[in-house]
Structure formats: structure tokens, C-alpha cells
Amino acid sequence: MRRHQVWHGLRDAWPVMLGFVPFALVLGAQAVQKGFSVIEVPMMTGLNFGGGSEFAAVELWTSPPHVLLIVAITFLVNSRHLLMGAALAPLMRNLSRRQAFAVLFFMCDESWAMGLADARLSASGLRLGYFFGVALGLYGCWIAFTTIGALVGPVLGDVTRFGFDMAFPAVFLVMLAGMWRGPAAARPWLVSLVVAGATHLLLPDGAWYVPAGAFSGVVAAYVWARPA
């Protein structure tokens, strides 16, 4: 049964893995342009499995690097994982501590959304086989193609001219479409979008729009979920 779940998760993850390829190539190419070696790129993407924070770190990278600034921005961009983990917590009550830590380490936006949707459909909590089929497929794809990007980046030059960077927002739009439950349920999304956009315009330096958008969305969802 567990093996069937793994293959099911891996099969469902294939379209997202294909979407990972172009912006993984972009990240790898940009990283070597900033001075990363071909070995350092997969080390970064493997130890910090979060594309948004990796793009932010590479963008801020200098020689010598401003370590505290990069750590702070990485924390801000990854702060959404606190809310994502909290959403999964009720579904992980039957897991051991080791299993729960493994789930949280390999969790990214896409595996979180797909694992959460599967858990709600199965009504039996988070299915480890399915989740790791998705998460490990995405993890391996991300590391492999950021490494390939680091290898071919010096040859191709600026890979964004091929439009590869458009895959990043496209993947998230597909995720949102899969989570659509009607206009009323999407109101917190709108609040989060407006607040994040306004914060980005008012505070252009840094990634404060990430926690601002996440926090405002949570508050809006709480307010609208309260009984009248």
C-alpha cells in the first residue's frame, strides 16, 4: 500500500517537476554568475529547499557576502513555512517525531499543497507514501536541474531571455487553481495579495511583503471564519 502511494505521488508530481525545470536552470545559472561553484549550487538547493529564498540569497550575494542580511531575508521569505507547517500539524498527529521532521524538511509550497489536498480527500491524515512520492520527486528534480543550470549557465549566458523565469509564477497559478473553492473562500487570498503588493511598493528593499501578505491573509481568514 505504501509503495502504491509513493508511485501515486510521484505520478501526480510529474507536471510540477516539469514546471520546476526552467526556473531551476535560471537559479543555477544566476548562482554561478555570482561566483558559486558547481558543487556549491546543489549544496545550497539541497540544504535549503525553498526556491524563493534561494533566488533572494543569490540576488543579494556579493563578495564578501553580507551574511546577516542574507540570513534575515532568507528567514523572511521562508517564514511562510511556519504557517504551512501549522496547517499540516493536525494531519501529522499519527506520525513519529522523526517522520514529522522529515516531512517538514522536504516540504515546499507544491508538496505542501498536494499533500494537504490528498489528506483532505483520504480523510485519514497525511499519507506518508503519497507525500514523499511528491516531495522526493520535486526535491531530486530541483537539485538536479539547478546543478545542470550551473553547468550550462556560462555557455548559455542570461537564460531569462528564453522566458524560463515565467515558469515560477505559472506553477503557483496552477496550485491556486487546484485549491479554488469559490469567491468567498478566496477573499483572504485577495487581502494577502493587496497587502503584499502594497508592502512591496512601500518597502521595496527586502522581503517584508512575504510575512506581511501571509499574516494579513491569516487574519482575514480568521475574521471571516468566525461565527456571526
Side-chain angles (χ1 to χ4, degrees), residues 12-151:
D12 287 354
W14 266 109
V16 182
M17 290 167 65
L18 292 176
F20 267 26
V21 171
F23 59 94
L25 293 174
V26 170
L27 177 63
Q30 290 180 346
V32 293
Q33 290 169 6
K34 284 298 185 83
F36 283 69
S37 71
V38 176
I39 299 299
E40 290 168 340
V41 170
M43 286 180 62
M44 176 184 70
T45 56
L47 293 174
N48 175 59
F49 186 34
S53 60
E54 291 162 2
F55 272 103
V58 168
E59 182 68 25
L60 294 170
W61 195 266
T62 56
S63 183
H66 300 288
V67 176
L68 291 180
L69 174 63
I70 292 173
V71 169
I73 294 300
T74 300
F75 176 80
L76 285 175
V77 176
N78 284 344
S79 62
R80 68 192 188 282
H81 287 236
L82 298 173
L83 298 175
M84 290 158 57
L88 282 184
L91 305 173
M92 297 194 295
R93 291 173 179 168
N94 60 329
L95 304 183
S96 68
R97 181 176 296 181
R98 180 179 298 178
Q99 290 172 330
F101 283 155
V103 166
L104 295 175
F105 177 80
F106 289 105
M107 179 184 71
C108 63
D109 300 278
E110 295 81 4
S111 60
W112 170 81
M114 296 175 70
L116 188 63
D118 176 74
R120 289 172 174 171
L121 288 175
S122 65
S124 59
L126 187 70
R127 296 195 301 167
L128 276 183
Y130 180 86
F131 177 85
F132 281 113
V134 172
L136 293 178
L138 298 177
Y139 184 76
C141 178
W142 184 247
I143 294 175
F145 282 95
T146 51
T147 305
I148 293 173
L151 289 168

Side-chain angles (χ1 to χ4, degrees), residues 127-212:
R127 296 195 301 167
L128 276 183
Y130 180 86
F131 177 85
F132 281 113
V134 172
L136 293 178
L138 298 177
Y139 184 76
C141 178
W142 184 247
I143 294 175
F145 282 95
T146 51
T147 305
I148 293 173
L151 289 168
V152 304
V155 178
L156 296 179
D158 183 11
V159 293
T160 59
R161 71 181 191 273
F162 300 113
F164 284 174
D165 50 333
M166 283 302 298
F168 198 81
V171 168
F172 282 94
L173 289 173
V174 171
M175 286 172 51
L176 287 176
M179 300 172 68
W180 180 258
R181 296 294 182 272
R187 290 179 297 178
W189 300 1
L190 179 61
V191 172
S192 180
L193 173 64
V194 171
V195 171
T199 305
H200 179 64
L201 292 174
L202 295 173
L203 302 173
D205 295 328
W208 292 104
Y209 61 91
V210 176

